[in-house]
Amino acid sequence: MITGESGTGKELIASAIHAKSTRKDKPFIQINCAALTEGLISSELFGHEKGAFTGAVARKKGLFEQASGGTLFLDEIGDISPTTQVSLLRILELGTFQRVGGTETIKADVRLICATNRDLAAAAREKQFREDLYYRLNVVSLQAPPLRDRRSDIPLLVRYFLERYCSLNNKQLDGVTRDAMTLLCNYDWPGNCRELANIIEHAVIFSRGRTLDKDSLPTQLRTSDSHSNGLTLNLATSTLADAESALIKKVLEESNWNLKKAAELLDIARGTLYGKMEKYHLTKPA
């Protein structure tokens, strides 16, 4: 089980685990559970037999079969339905499954790695996620820390993304100015490594010189009030968690608890906002 905010690199951690394991010569297959409907995810994971449902014109192997001997990575595991949770629990307990519409019992020889930005322990306590499945999945737990908690990694990541996007955009930049690097290291990165990658790509595209300077960076990094989205908060005596909770609550109130708008103002994914609301017990007043 890999936990962490959106954009912290959970998929890369899963890929690294597979690459360094005895299963490295077998398939590494990944799926984003949040991107599939309840009806589709069962077919994708377990496969289906011909005629199992409208449109099933042929037998299809599911991802558990395709990943046989290797690793199956289920991203956003916290978003699967109760029905799919039961099916996963059966596989973890018995090591077998059946295709949708089938009767053949198939053995699953797969390492299962899951990731989520939700607090599944809290979700299990609140009966929003099966407690027995949570304990089955959480045998080995890894926490991907947010980028703001590992700022010493930022210069290394900046250089990596700089080389990557220079190559993709056929540009030559020799490095990053001190002022630009200072801005990048001081920013809080609500979108974590994914946001950093996007901003470096933006800077590479708009850079006019041979180095990436602060004028190439987006406005939110270059303006002193960008992090608060125009909101004034009294956080002088707050911890980082208190400050984050207060900012999110303020933005939710200012947006009249419109979660889509609040996520846009905070510049984070809506799923990340949901997770933080659960973490800080933020609910719309009755």
Side-chain angles (χ1 to χ4, degrees):
M1 174 74 73
I2 306 172
T3 59
E5 296 177 8
S6 178
T8 50
K10 299 185 289 295
E11 179 181 326
L12 288 175
I13 294 173
S15 179
I17 291 172
H18 175 78
K20 295 295 184 180
S21 73
T22 56
R23 294 174 177 256
K24 62 184 179 181
D25 295 326
K26 297 295 184 178
F28 174 75
I29 295 179
Q30 52 194 318
I31 183 173
N32 187 329
C33 299
L36 299 175
T37 63
E38 180 177 351
L40 186 57
I41 193 170
S42 293
S43 174
E44 288 294 314
L45 291 176
F46 313 120
H48 61 252
E49 296 290 349
K50 180 179 179 180
F53 50 83
T54 302
V57 296
R59 171 186 283 181
K60 174 185 175 181
K61 287 187 176 182
L63 298 184
F64 272 97
E65 286 184 85
Q66 296 176 41
S68 181
T71 302
L72 178 59
F73 174 53
L74 304 182
D75 199 6
E76 304 297 350
I77 188 70
D79 291 340
I80 63 173
S81 69
T83 301
T84 306
Q85 290 179 37
V86 172
S87 299
L88 278 181
L89 182 62
R90 174 186 172 85
I91 288 179
L92 293 172
E93 289 183 335
L94 304 178
T96 61
F97 66 96
Q98 294 178 336
R99 299 188 190 99
V100 176
T103 57
E104 178 186 1
T105 298
I106 303 169
K107 182 173 177 59
D109 176 20
V110 173
R111 174 201 280 115
L112 192 63
I113 301 179
C114 301
T116 182
N117 57 22
R118 295 184 61 191
D119 184 346
L120 281 194
R125 289 194 299 269
E126 296 168 5
K127 309 302 180 183
Q128 297 176 357
F129 194 87
R130 288 188 66 100
E131 192 172 30
D132 46 4
L133 178 59
Y134 168 72
Y135 289 124
R136 282 286 187 177
L137 292 173
N138 200 42
V139 176
V140 177
S141 179
L142 299 175
Q143 173 73 32
L147 191 53
R148 62 182 174 274
D149 289 349
R150 47 189 177 104
R151 295 181 187 274
S152 61
D153 289 349
I154 292 175
L156 180 64
L157 289 167
V158 168
R159 287 191 288 271
Y160 168 76
F161 289 130
L162 183 64
E163 292 179 5
R164 176 180 179 183
Y165 290 116
C166 279
S167 176
L168 289 174
N169 291 280
N170 195 28
K171 296 191 72 171
Q172 179 64 47
L173 294 176
D174 297 329
V176 182
T177 66
R178 184 185 299 272
D179 287 346
M181 186 63 80
T182 298
L183 285 173
L184 291 166
C185 289
N186 289 337
Y187 185 58
D188 279 342
W189 300 109
N192 294 295
C193 301
R194 185 180 295 118
E195 183 185 11
L196 175 60
N198 292 340
I199 281 180
I200 297 302
E201 182 176 20
H202 168 102
V204 167
I205 291 171
F206 288 97
S207 179
R208 297 182 178 181
R210 293 300 300 268
T211 57
L212 191 156
D213 57 28
K214 65 179 183 179
D215 291 333
S216 305
L217 297 172
T219 304
Q220 69 261 33
L221 269 75
R222 292 188 279 113
T223 55
S224 59
D225 62 346
S226 61
H227 301 165
S228 65
N229 290 298
L231 300 172
T232 301
L233 299 173
N234 181 15
L235 302 175
T237 60
S238 297
T239 65
L240 179 59
D242 290 338
E244 185 175 60
S245 175
L247 176 58
I248 293 172
K249 182 179 180 181
K250 183 67 173 178
V251 171
L252 286 167
E253 291 172 346
E254 292 288 341
S255 61
N256 197 27
W257 293 84
N258 182 317
L259 300 188
K260 179 180 179 181
K261 183 178 180 181
E264 291 174 352
L265 287 171
L266 291 165
D267 197 22
I268 59 177
R270 203 183 309 185
T272 301
L273 177 58
Y274 294 153
K276 290 183 180 297
M277 289 174 66
E278 289 183 358
K279 177 180 178 180
Y280 297 121
H281 307 292
L282 299 175
T283 56
K284 184 177 181 179

